Amino acid sequence: MNPSPSVPEATPTPTEEPITAPERPAEMERMDEVGAVAAAEYFLAVEEYVFRTGDLQQWDKISLADCGFCQNKRDAAVRVYGSGGRYVGAETTTGEPAVVGHDPALNGYAVEIEYSAGPGQELDAAGEVVADLAVGHGFLVLDVMPVNGEWGLLSVAGSEKSAS
Amino acid sequence: MTASPLVVAGLVVVLAATSGSGEDRFSGDLDGSNVFIRGTDGRTSRPGTQPDDHVYRRIPVGGCDFGSVSHWTGEEPDRDTLGDGRCVGDDAGLVVRRVCDDGTTGVDPLLRSSVDPATGDPVGDWQLVDEGGCLEEGGAVVVVRQEDLRRLPITPSVPRYQPVDGRGLVGKDLIVYTDPTPQELTTSVLGVPVTVRVTPVRWSWDFGDGELPLVTDSAGAPYPDHTVSRPYADVGTYEVRVTTTWRGEYRVADDGPWLPVTGTATTTSAPFTATVEDAPSRLVADR
């Protein structure tokens, strides 16, 4: 009959979820369309990880030498995170990937993924906003191809309308 | 579209881009300008008996510098939007063949791909072996072909044999062997000096007895390590010769990569004479 002792409820404290690097999907072992789509999705996940953390370890592994998008992303990450800054916001949603091109000679695939990006900011080390990232929507076409048995990212093109 | 697009290293132009106000998180980093490189049907060579399991193609390329589009969506570049001189080639297919300083046509880039052993078709990615170019630039712009290989003064394998005097007995092995050491020769292809290395990979011994030649991938060895031999069934004099199959590799610069020559060459040695005698048993008295 004794009332159970009341235990003060712990006040939840906001904690930031640790950002973990994306895992390579097993489908990327396949050198076909399924593998290409898996690679494109993985590459976008790695891009998200780079955007949130500045960690380029995986990014450098997937970037092919001629990938301008890869280099630009790299430069931006080094510039922002290397100086103590970071990105906030710019949450993205992506649609279903679709293969919109294939080069049988190179076994390269163009994989289109629709995206929407919310507003975001680039912050400096002091937390001050140094740039605004606009809301965006469009279609990314990732050119992926196998090099030495591994999928790599050759280029990323953008368009406001779908190529398919 | 019969053409296959290719991206040749070093030809993709990337415009510098920065992220900032007015751009979303992707737009500023996109590949703003690509040079579209398209290969057309190229001359294909496939190694025959070589252990190299690649297919090699020299593929002419076409190039246009155009906006932010994928290489492989099948879109034709909008030539109206291209600046002067940014799109090279003819109207038929934007094929680019370099015109060299002397007015000749440059050599197309060489690419290679692995070969599916079951189908013989190229599989996987293509790798740039050389960028082609013009002869005056030197480098790997020449290709040594089978006909070049067969014109080379390859020294035929020298047949060696035991017994050393070529005199053997009916039913006893005549042991043969030769030297498997590769040879290096220099030649000139299209005016460019090339080093060719030939390696013997197969020997066909004709023992002159009317039987089929003994074909082997072993150079053989002298007694007691011999691996190639044949006993003669009958008394007689036989001319023995060896035909050697050579596999070739070549390189242009002293430190350049060795590239396989498609096909093989053969040489046939000068014959030697084997004399086969009977050895009747005789009764001899003890002394």
Side-chain angles (χ1 to χ4, degrees):
Chain A
M1 296 301 173
N2 291 334
S4 56
S6 64
V7 178
E9 288 186 7
T11 307
T13 53
T15 55
E16 289 191 10
E17 286 281 320
I19 301 172
T20 57
E23 290 189 12
R24 289 172 64 92
E27 288 83 358
M28 282 179 66
E29 298 299 317
R30 295 173 55 167
M31 294 297 130
D32 58 6
E33 185 168 320
V34 172
V37 168
E41 290 186 298
Y42 171 71
F43 294 166
L44 270 193
V46 175
E47 189 280 333
E48 172 75 14
Y49 177 69
V50 170
F51 186 79
R52 298 290 169 205
T53 65
D55 181 353
L56 291 160
Q57 190 173 357
Q58 286 175 297
W59 190 248
D60 288 343
K61 287 183 181 174
I62 63 176
S63 303
L64 297 180
D66 292 320
C67 176
F69 176 81
C70 308
Q71 186 62 46
N72 295 338
K73 272 290 169 195
R74 188 180 212 293
D75 292 346
V78 168
R79 178 176 55 78
V80 173
Y81 286 91
S83 60
R86 62 193 175 110
Y87 290 113
V88 294
E91 305 290 344
T92 57
T93 56
T94 55
E96 283 294 308
V99 170
V100 292
H102 177 226
D103 171 27
L106 293 169
N107 198 30
Y109 289 85
V111 181
E112 183 181 76
I113 300 179
E114 186 177 6
Y115 79 98
S116 295
Q121 289 87 37
E122 176 191 330
L123 308 181
D124 64 14
E128 297 293 325
V129 175
V130 294
D132 285 318
L133 301 174
V135 174
H137 171 259
F139 295 84
L140 298 173
V141 178
L142 291 82
D143 283 355
V144 298
M145 63 182 284
V147 173
N148 298 327
E150 297 275 350
W151 287 104
L153 182 57
L154 180 64
S155 73
V156 179
S159 175
E160 292 182 356
K161 58 184 180 180
S162 171
S164 58
Chain B
M1 186 175 71
T2 59
S4 303
L6 294 169
V7 175
V8 177
L11 293 182
V12 172
V13 178
V14 177
L15 297 182
T18 56
S19 61
S21 181
E23 295 173 335
D24 71 34
R25 54 176 288 187
F26 292 108
S27 58
D29 294 326
L30 293 171
D31 286 271
S33 178
N34 293 326
V35 172
F36 185 87
I37 305 298
R38 171 184 297 164
T40 59
D41 293 338
R43 183 173 52 229
T44 303
S45 62
R46 174 164 301 149
T49 59
Q50 306 169 32
D52 189 309
D53 55 354
H54 290 90
V55 61
Y56 289 75
R57 286 183 186 168
R58 284 204 177 271
I59 305 175
V61 296
C64 277
D65 185 358
F66 62 109
S68 176
V69 300
S70 161
H71 297 84
W72 300 316
T73 53
E75 296 177 31
E76 291 294 330
D78 181 0
R79 306 187 75 191
D80 293 338
T81 65
L82 302 171
D84 290 341
R86 298 175 71 192
C87 188
V88 189
D90 57 27
D91 290 332
L94 305 176
V95 172
V96 173
R97 281 204 162 88
R98 288 188 56 182
V99 178
C100 303
D101 291 344
D102 61 1
T104 60
T105 302
V107 178
D108 299 322
L110 177 66
L111 297 102
R112 74 171 190 175
S113 173
S114 299
V115 172
D116 183 336
T119 65
D121 294 332
V123 293
D125 53 304
W126 287 87
Q127 297 171 329
L128 190 68
V129 177
D130 71 52
E131 296 186 358
C134 297
L135 294 182
E136 61 265 24
E137 297 169 354
V141 296
V142 300
V143 177
V144 177
R145 298 185 175 83
Q146 178 168 276
E147 53 266 34
D148 302 312
L149 185 69
R150 291 181 174 177
R151 276 197 293 268
L152 290 175
I154 302 171
T155 303
S157 300
V158 177
R160 303 190 185 284
Y161 44 94
Q162 290 176 328
V164 292
D165 58 1
R167 297 181 62 183
L169 298 174
V170 169
K172 293 291 185 184
D173 278 341
L174 176 71
I175 298 170
V176 292
Y177 58 98
T178 186
D179 182 359
T181 305
Q183 300 175 28
E184 283 197 11
L185 307 100
T186 56
T187 185
S188 174
V189 176
L190 301 176
V192 177
V194 176
T195 303
V196 180
R197 180 170 63 195
V198 292
T199 305
V201 293
R202 192 166 61 244
W203 294 267
S204 175
W205 291 92
D206 181 351
F207 288 89
D209 55 358
E211 299 293 326
L212 289 174
L214 193 163
V215 180
T216 173
D217 59 3
S218 166
Y223 181 89
D225 301 318
H226 57 288
T227 57
V228 185
S229 63
R230 175 174 285 183
Y232 282 98
D234 300 308
V235 170
T237 300
Y238 303 94
E239 287 204 331
V240 182
R241 46 174 58 85
V242 59
T243 299
T244 307
T245 301
W246 303 83
R247 177 169 55 81
E249 302 161 288
Y250 71 99
R251 67 178 179 186
V252 178
D254 287 343
D255 57 352
W258 286 103
L259 301 170
V261 180
T262 301
T264 56
T266 58
T267 59
T268 300
S269 69
F272 70 88
T273 301
T275 304
V276 179
E277 299 169 348
D278 200 3
S281 56
R282 296 171 190 268
L283 289 175
V284 295
D286 288 338
R287 298 195 174 206

